[in-house]
Amino acid sequence: MKHSSHHSMMAAMVTTDDDVSSRPEARAPGSAEGTGTGTQGDAAAAKPPAFSRWTLRFVAVGLVLAALNLRPAISGLGTLLEEVRAGLGMSGTVAGLLTSVPPLCFAVFGGLAPRLARRFGPAAVVLTGMLAIAAGLALRPFTGGTAAFLAATALALAGIAVSNVLMPVVVKHWFPDRVGTMTGLYSMALALGTSSAAAITVPMTEALGGSWRVGIGAWALLAAVAVVPWALVQKDRTSRRPEPQAAEEAVTEESGTGERATEARQPAAPGQNAKPLRITRSSTAWALGVFFGLQASAAYITMGWLPQIFRDAGVSASAAGVMLAVTMGMGVPLSFVLPKMATRMRHQGPLVAALGACGLIGYAGLWFAPASGAWLWSLVLGVSNCAFPLALTMIGLRSRSSAGVAKLSAFAQSTGYLISVPGPLLVGALHGSSGGWHLPLLLMAGLMVAQIAVGLLAGRDRVIEDGS
């Protein structure tokens, strides 16, 4: 990736009114050509709002900082879980359930994000999310019992949940002609935050005196820094406007060749109201939701159980931790490249199949040679984990408007995270009952095959507004 792309990304601006009016209307995915409907004479495209260059720069910085804060509350806690359990007198059952609390909170709170964005605007909601993360992480060190600790964790996870859902919306709202580039940017930052928290939390805790309370509380500072650019964005009048309804908005979209094209909705006939977007009736939305859930399940299984698989094979605890950091760190470069590739393809199925194949290769390696090929399996599974930025990119491509993306993102992530909850628990149960890893690996491989199948459906060139 050329360095110039980073500068253009930070200074990217929405197409001006003259640019929009001078370009031919792009064909919507799945629509027919030459039918005489949907022409420029029949529909007047609503122009996207023009944002100042500084506003877009603040949004880009805020996007990166927000993404950096979406996983340290989870991956940082995992490295100190044993110390937290001892300090709070937490039972093993409650500690085990902590691995399933994040996706559950994402499902519950993430569904509120589109409604809040429509009422207050996406910038205000992301700003509030960053404040919730900072407050939750700052309060956790001062809790004296399990209940208070879980409550503070839930506050941070609520902020993460709404921000999770609105990241694709932010991209579609402020950078509609840079969907792939900006999705790659925040996906890369999210992967960097995840791997950094896993690798840094323990050494940072030791450097700060050895108290787990200081170690997990220090991440509140990063969340506080993320508040600043979003507070500045919120001061801009155009950024304070609520999200429009999906049926009312027209946006510029990055086409398969990287050129800007305007996709506008045909207005309703006189005397008729635009049909409301019924997300639950869209097969594409359901395919995306299931795909998102299966890839999330694979990711949480990897984060929760991969080090233990290596340790049971004879790998040292410190080496197993580094291998997990390598697995999560693979998402840093690939999360920037994959979305750009995905936006240039009409069907993202080949990428889905390639990432799934890497997962199956990794699971086969863990079955036959978990210790001797540990580093290789860590790298391959790191590639497979990059189904997450691909899923986020497909969410941005499966709707024509940022309001539609908001609904689709909330539906896919809420549904997906609910689907992902049982995965890590089932792996643990199978390991406990069998005493080995062959049964869990069979389950993981079966889930990966299902992920590939449903991902091929989700990757088709369709949009939810067409009822598909």
Side-chain angles (χ1 to χ4, degrees):
M1 188 64 64
K2 296 181 180 179
H3 292 294
S4 60
S5 64
H6 293 273
H7 298 294
S8 63
M9 174 173 53
M10 298 294 292
M13 293 191 67
V14 177
T15 309
T16 61
D17 292 350
D18 292 338
D19 291 336
V20 172
S21 61
S22 64
R23 296 186 182 272
E25 184 174 346
R27 182 176 63 89
S31 64
E33 294 178 340
T35 60
T37 60
T39 62
Q40 290 178 343
D42 296 331
K47 295 180 178 62
F51 300 106
S52 71
R53 187 179 297 271
W54 279 107
T55 296
L56 293 176
R57 287 175 176 172
F58 284 136
V59 172
V61 172
L63 192 71
V64 171
L65 290 175
L68 286 172
N69 280 281
L70 295 182
R71 291 299 181 271
I74 304 167
S75 58
L77 174 62
T79 60
L80 294 173
L81 185 57
E82 198 63 36
E83 289 77 8
V84 173
R85 284 184 58 190
L88 296 177
M90 188 181 297
S91 68
T93 301
V94 174
L97 287 175
L98 277 176
T99 61
S100 294
V101 166
L104 184 61
C105 287
F106 294 165
V108 172
F109 295 112
L112 301 175
R115 185 178 302 176
L116 294 173
R118 285 197 299 270
R119 183 170 182 179
F120 302 107
V125 180
V126 175
L127 172 61
T128 304
M130 293 300 106
L131 289 170
I133 295 171
L137 295 181
L139 289 173
R140 284 203 303 192
F142 299 100
T143 57
T146 300
F149 185 85
L150 290 175
T153 299
L155 176 61
L157 291 174
I160 293 171
V162 295
S163 301
N164 255 339
V165 170
L166 291 183
M167 289 295 98
V169 179
V170 168
V171 170
K172 194 82 168 183
H173 186 81
W174 277 279
F175 305 99
D177 55 340
R178 295 288 186 271
V179 172
T181 299
M182 300 309 293
T183 300
L185 179 66
Y186 81 75
S187 298
M188 183 175 66
L190 190 148
L192 180 62
T194 305
S195 57
S196 297
I200 293 174
T201 300
V202 172
M204 179 175 63
T205 300
E206 295 173 352
L208 295 175
S211 171
W212 65 266
R213 296 180 183 273
V214 177
I216 65 172
W219 291 104
L221 296 176
L222 181 61
V225 172
V227 169
V228 177
W230 287 107
L232 294 174
V233 172
Q234 182 62 12
K235 287 186 175 182
D236 181 62
R237 288 185 177 182
T238 59
S239 298
R240 289 201 302 265
R241 287 184 296 192
E243 279 292 278
Q245 293 293 331
E248 299 171 357
E249 189 186 49
V251 297
T252 58
E253 181 74 50
E254 186 176 47
S255 68
T257 60
E259 298 177 352
R260 292 177 186 174
T262 301
E263 288 189 336
R265 301 185 182 284
Q266 183 174 346
Q272 294 181 352
N273 295 323
K275 290 183 179 180
L277 180 59
R278 300 187 182 278
I279 198 77
T280 57
R281 296 184 180 181
S282 168
S283 59
T284 298
W286 279 107
L288 272 171
V290 177
F291 176 69
F292 193 97
L294 291 173
Q295 67 80 29
S297 183
Y300 281 105
I301 289 171
T302 298
M303 282 190 284
W305 293 110
L306 185 60
Q308 193 62 49
I309 294 175
F310 286 143
R311 292 184 66 179
D312 288 351
V315 178
S316 68
S318 58
V322 174
M323 289 173 186
L324 176 62
V326 169
T327 299
M328 307 312 297
M330 285 296 293
V332 176
L334 292 180
S335 292
F336 191 77
V337 175
L338 279 174
K340 289 290 292 181
M341 294 175 61
T343 55
R344 295 177 183 274
M345 301 171 67
R346 293 186 66 87
H347 194 309
Q348 290 76 41
L351 290 178
V352 169
L355 297 180
C358 288
L360 293 175
I361 291 171
Y363 296 154
L366 293 176
W367 181 296
F368 292 107
S372 59
W375 287 105
L376 177 59
W377 315 140
S378 297
L379 291 172
V380 172
L381 290 173
V383 175
S384 179
N385 263 5
C386 289
F388 176 72
L390 177 59
L392 293 179
T393 305
M394 288 197 293
I395 288 174
L397 296 174
R398 298 286 90 89
S399 175
R400 296 194 188 96
S401 71
S402 60
V405 170
K407 284 189 174 183
L408 180 57
S409 181
F411 176 80
Q413 293 198 44
S414 296
T415 302
Y417 281 124
L418 279 177
I419 292 172
S420 73
V421 170
L425 295 177
L426 286 174
V427 168
L430 288 174
H431 173 60
S433 63
S434 66
W437 289 105
H438 282 181
L439 281 180
L441 286 170
L442 285 175
L443 172 65
M444 293 155 65
L447 292 175
M448 185 59 67
V449 171
Q451 176 181 318
I452 295 172
V454 75
L456 293 175
L457 296 176
R460 294 175 299 176
D461 184 25
R462 299 183 178 185
V463 291
I464 57 175
E465 286 84 3
D466 292 339
S468 57

